[in-house]
Every structure is written in C-alpha cells, then in structure tokens.
Amino acid sequence: MKHLISPQDLTVNELDDILALAGKIYRNKEKYSKICDGKKLATLFYEPSTRTRLSFESAMLSLGGSVLGFSSADSSSAAKGESVADTIRVISFYADICAMRHPKEGAPLVASKFSSIPIINAGDGGHNHPTQTFTDLLTIKELKGSLEGLTIGVCGDLKFGRTVHSLINAMIRYPGTKFVMISPDELRIPDYLRKEALDDNNIPYIETNNLESVLPELDILYMTRVQRERFFNEEDYIRLKDSFILDNNKLKLAREDMLILHPLPRVNEIATEVDSDERAVYFKQANFGVFVRMALIMNMLNIEDPYKEENI
Ligand code: CP
C-alpha cells in the first residue's frame, strides 16, 4: 500500500519516473484516456481549494475513471464530529484512491494509518503540499529542461506556505540547487526546515527581505501569497500582506530566461500586468498540475504505463 504524505515519500528516481510519465501524458493525452476505467478517486477536502481538487478530479476523469467526494468539512459528517480515522475507514469501501486536504497538519498521515486505499496528501495545514511540488517540478523540467543547478528564489510567506516547505524538501535532492529566501522577518522559513533541510544537507542559501537586490541572480522566482487563514490576528495579516508585489518595473531587474512560478491563488503579490510577460508561467503551471496528478494516480494504483518502451 503506497501513500504520499510528503515529497520525500518518493525517491528521486521514483519522482523522476513520475515526471517523465507526466510529460508523456501531456504530449499524448488521448492514449491514456481509458487506463483507469472502473477506478474511483475520492476527494476529501476539509479546506477550500480550486486547483488541487479540480485538477485531481480532471486527472481521474481524463484517465477514464470516476470521482466522488466532498469539498468542505461542513458538507460531510465531520460537521457532526466524525473523526478522520472513521471517515477513511468508510471511504476505503467506496473508492480505490483518495486525495485529502485538511487544515490540521498530519491529518492525511493519520488517515493513512486507518486506510485500506492509497492516501495522497493534497495539503495539510502549514505543513506539506507534495502534489503542488510535483506540479512545480514538472513545470520547471518542461520549461527549463533540467532540475539541476538552479538558483531558486522563494518569496512571500515562507513560514506558513506549505508549497514552499515541500518545494525546498524536494529541490534539495537535485545537485547544484541554491535557495534565496525572500520574506519579512516574521514570515521566515521555520527553524526546523532551515536546520533539517538546508543546514544539515549543506545546501547554499541566503535570507533577505529585499526582492529587488536578489532578482538578477535568480533562475526561478517562486512567489507566494501571505496565508491569511493561518494568522492568529487580522492586524498582523494586514500589515504583512503586501510586503512584496512583483510588477513590470521590478521585472526589469530579472534575467530574460527567469521563470516566475506561483502555486496560486494570487492575491496582490503579482500585479496583473506581469501576466503577459513570457516569464510568467503560473497559469501553465496550473495546467501541468493535471498531468502530474494523472501520472501519480497511475503510479499509486500500480498501473503500468502501456507505452513504457515507446519513445512517445
Ligand atoms: N495551489 C493550490 O493548492 O491551489 P488551491 O488552494 O486552489 O487548491
């Protein structure tokens, strides 16, 4: 039984195989349109989502399978007090695989202990969001050609931003990665991540609160929104929410081949005028999310690629 709770649950080779399969599916979508015939995906979302839930559902439907689930805790028996453990025991009878998003860190891990179907963490609190990271990696691989030797600027809410935490944990495994952490002092990456992911692995990084000064160095700029839902008080959120706003004027400082990624949703941190810049790839990124989830579903259901030997 495979579960995906954090990006490190897959080896680099396994992840590279999934990205390669996702690339093949991207270029040959029709060939994979019946491969999950008869399989069901449950999407259990206790927290709001547009991209993750709908791209999972689109992925399963595009593979010929079907989907069921709920999009808020209020519309499930969680509202009556049912535990995640009891819910997943029951959902295991109804579906073959499950994607779960939950506001509490560790909830998908708890579900995996009681589940008889594969669990995919679709975002747990401020902790991890592995399938967003696989989306990010596929975007970089397809558009840059390689995941090695990149200087990656991560900008915004590095404290609560689970997409950043998962991205750091995934990219430290590729040679030559350097990080530039751009955030207000109060939203710096958590100490455990700085120590366990960066310091213990001798990964080069700097921390700064000045976006303009580091823009010329970057191969990738990964923008994130300040996570209103994780703040304990609204005043702090309002004070910090517009700490960094990328606009066309600032972009003049960046390299011509820098890519701008964002997991979305965007609030104010990227001016809409940037959307027409060729370096802005965040909507392409959201599209890649479908193909990487198609490949992941196949992998976790142990469905072999029928075109494995073909260079399609
Ligand atoms: N990137 C992402 O997780 O978006 P949603 O919250 O819309 O799923």
Side-chain angles (χ1 to χ4, degrees), residues 48-53 101 129 132 162-163 263-265:
S49 168
T50 296
R51 274 146 296 275
T52 310
R53 185 171 67 84
R101 170 170 289 189
H129 193 345
Q132 178 63 50
R162 60 192 173 199
T163 61
L264 305 178

Side-chain angles (χ1 to χ4, degrees), residues 21-215:
L21 176 58
K24 274 171 87 174
I25 298 172
Y26 171 58
R27 283 177 274 280
N28 302 275
K29 199 174 163 188
E30 272 308 307
K31 287 187 184 287
Y32 293 85
S33 64
K34 304 230 181 315
I35 209 153
C36 281
D37 189 18
K39 299 289 185 192
K40 296 189 214 79
L41 165 76
T43 52
L44 310 188
F45 276 59
Y46 296 82
E47 201 183 52
S49 168
T50 296
R51 274 146 296 275
T52 310
R53 185 171 67 84
L54 296 179
S55 65
F56 260 118
E57 296 189 357
S58 178
M60 191 46 140
L61 294 171
S62 298
L63 292 167
S66 46
V67 297
L68 64 160
F70 53 82
S71 58
S72 74
D74 288 351
S75 62
S76 78
S77 284
K80 302 174 201 160
E82 186 169 54
S83 67
V84 163
D86 284 0
T87 301
I88 197 60
R89 280 184 174 119
V90 174
I91 298 298
S92 294
F93 297 127
Y94 302 162
D96 301 288
I97 185 167
C98 169
M100 175 182 285
R101 170 170 289 189
H102 202 286
K104 288 210 175 108
E105 286 85 355
L109 178 64
V110 171
S112 71
K113 308 283 183 208
F114 294 90
S115 179
S116 48
I117 59 174
I119 300 291
I120 302 173
N121 178 4
D124 62 329
H127 192 218
N128 264 312
H129 193 345
T131 65
Q132 178 63 50
T133 296
F134 299 169
T135 300
D136 305 338
L137 267 54
L138 180 63
T139 306
I140 297 169
K141 189 173 170 230
E142 287 287 327
L143 302 181
K144 273 269 177 218
S146 170
L147 293 168
E148 297 186 4
L150 297 172
T151 299
I152 302 173
V154 285
C155 178
D157 184 349
L158 311 188
K159 178 178 180 184
F160 297 116
R162 60 192 173 199
T163 61
V164 168
H165 303 166
S166 289
L167 182 68
I168 290 171
N169 275 319
M171 284 304 302
I172 58 173
R173 305 193 296 180
Y174 290 91
T177 298
K178 293 182 196 162
F179 282 105
V180 179
M181 314 284 185
I182 310 144
S183 72
D185 285 345
E186 289 139 293
L187 298 179
R188 290 167 65 185
I189 60 163
D191 290 340
Y192 82 86
L193 195 62
R194 186 181 299 102
K195 180 180 180 311
E196 291 169 20
L198 301 174
D199 293 337
D200 290 356
N201 293 297
N202 296 317
I203 305 296
Y205 68 94
I206 59 166
E207 296 185 273
T208 177
N209 55 20
N210 188 327
L211 173 61
E212 287 92 324
S213 70
V214 294
L215 261 175

